[in-house]
Structure formats: structure tokens, C-alpha cells
Amino acid sequence: MTLEQLRIFVAVAERQHVTRAAEALLLTQSAVSSAIHALEHDFAVKLFNRVGRGIELSEAGRLFLDEARAVLARTDLARLRMAELGGLRRGTLRLHASQTIASYWLPRHLMAFRGTHPRVELELRVGNTTDVVRAVREGTAEIGLIEGTIDHPGLVARDVARDQLIVVVAPGHPWAERSGDLAASDLPGSAWVMREAGSGTRSEFETAIAAAGLDPAALTITLELPSNEAVRAAVEAGGAATAISASVAAPAIEAGLLVAVPFSLPSRAFRSLLHAERTPSRSAEAFLAAIAPPRPHQ
């Protein structure tokens, strides 16, 4: 098994298409097909199922994809370390961030870092908090960025920013004209649209209302959606409430499409994650210093 075979397999798996993978890798279609065939032949396992004129990952292929990504990530990290030993700040820094951070907080920091470290390529993947934790733990990302808290002994978390969750509804919702603060006991009186289980936004909201004395299971969740934008659009349509980052809701509130409901929620931290047993690269250290400079000693 070669690194080139792994690189080809990952490209095909991510695109579910041999020709598109070949174009992305600047290889011939026959070279890509031969690499996949060699892997399947050498290990006597089918990595892809041929369905009609297309392909899709087999169960074995799905399991192998995680391992292949991890090996390639470690290879890129090794290249980065060797470049740094030679005094060169270049290579690929792999990041995995939650949706709220990736869409609303991180982009300006990525642009600033590229301006000061133009030879370091930044590769960003986006998922929920569970996805980010898994990526850092397995080594497919060197730095993770999540909302809220985690309890994982193998990871080191550090606060890099603060964020505010708010409850919002459409202007026609009964809560939109409410003058007094909502109590936790009022929350089951509305339908709710929420992010999927495993997202930092949902986890932080459920923790907050549980601390206020309300079992999260008491909420009527009519929709679970996989992105902040989908949640916001569903609530804008009327009939339901949601808890969402103030940064996500701000444009819709300013446009009159959403109304912030008077319900007190604590602020939450945006946190960086590193693996506790892996020494961060110089590029990772520089990136973390750029997004959250160390506080001066008192």
C-alpha cells in the first residue's frame, strides 16, 4: 500500500466518481482505476459498490476512509514538521470547526493568518462538535474549534472567544410581542426547531435550560436540521422558536425577519482543541497565538 494509493482512494471516496477524482488529481482515469483495483485485489476486499453507472462506498470502504484520511493527515504533519526544522513556515495546517465558528467567527482569522503566513496552506473541514472532537482525537485535524464544553481526557481545550445564545421567533409568533421575560416553564408552550444532537448549540441550550429546572425532553421539537442557516430559515417561516448564536441571527433580526425573545441564556466559550499527546507544529502554535494571544501575567 502506498501513500499515492491512499490519496487516490480518498479522492474517489469523497467525490464518489472516478473521472472527477482523476481530474482533481491531474491523473488519467485509468491510473485512478488501477490504483483502486490494486487496493481491492491486494486486500481481497471491495471498497466500492458499482451501482448502475455510478459507484458508492461499501461498508469496508467507509471504515477504510477514516484510516486513510488519518494516515494522510499524519503524513502532511510530518512534512510540515520537517519544513519547520529547516526554518521554513510552510505546509498544510488542518483545522476542523463547528458550523457557527466556521461560518461567522473563523473566516476573518483565516484571512489574517494567511496574510502573515502565506506559505502555510489552511485546510478547513466543518462539522458539529462531535465531528470536531473525533477529528482531533483521530489525527485528521491538528486543531479543532468548538462551542461550549467537552469532557475528554485526551484533548486540551483553551478558550479563544465568547459567544451569546439567544432565543428567536418570527414576528408573527405569540412570543414576539412579549414584554416580560420568559421563564423556563414557558418554553414548552412553543414548537421548536433545533440543530441535530451532537451540535454545540443544542448541547449548550439544553444544559442551560436543565440548569434552570426544565427537562429538555419537555420541548416539542418539530424539526431537527443540520445547519444554522436551515434552522434560521425554518424559524423565519413562522410557528416555532429556536436557540441560536446571536451572530447567526443578527442579519435576520436587522431585516425584521426574526425577533429576539427576552429569555436569559449564559454566554458560551468558543474553544480550541489539541490532542494532549501530540506536540503542536509551529504553524499550529502561531495560529492559536493569532486567534487568542496569551494573557499577560498579573
Side-chain angles (χ1 to χ4, degrees), residues 85-144:
L85 288 173
L88 301 175
R89 288 184 175 272
R90 66 183 181 188
T92 300
L93 178 59
R94 296 178 183 270
L95 311 168
H96 205 129
S98 67
Q99 287 194 22
T100 301
I101 291 175
S103 299
Y104 296 92
W105 179 81
L106 188 57
R108 66 180 182 274
H109 294 290
L110 295 178
M111 291 300 295
F113 186 79
R114 283 287 293 169
T116 55
H117 300 78
R119 301 179 74 178
V120 177
E121 294 184 12
L122 298 172
E123 183 177 298
L124 174 65
R125 289 184 178 272
V126 182
N128 62 32
T129 295
T130 300
D131 298 328
V132 175
V133 169
R134 183 186 306 113
V136 177
R137 189 180 68 243
E138 295 179 353
T140 57
E142 186 173 5
I143 297 175

Side-chain angles (χ1 to χ4, degrees), residues 2 22 32 42 52 61 107 127 141 195 209 214 220-222 233 237 282 290 293 295:
T2 67
V32 171
D42 290 347
R195 284 285 306 280
I209 63 174
L214 179 67
T220 301
I221 300 176
T222 58
R282 277 199 246 170
R295 297 175 182 174

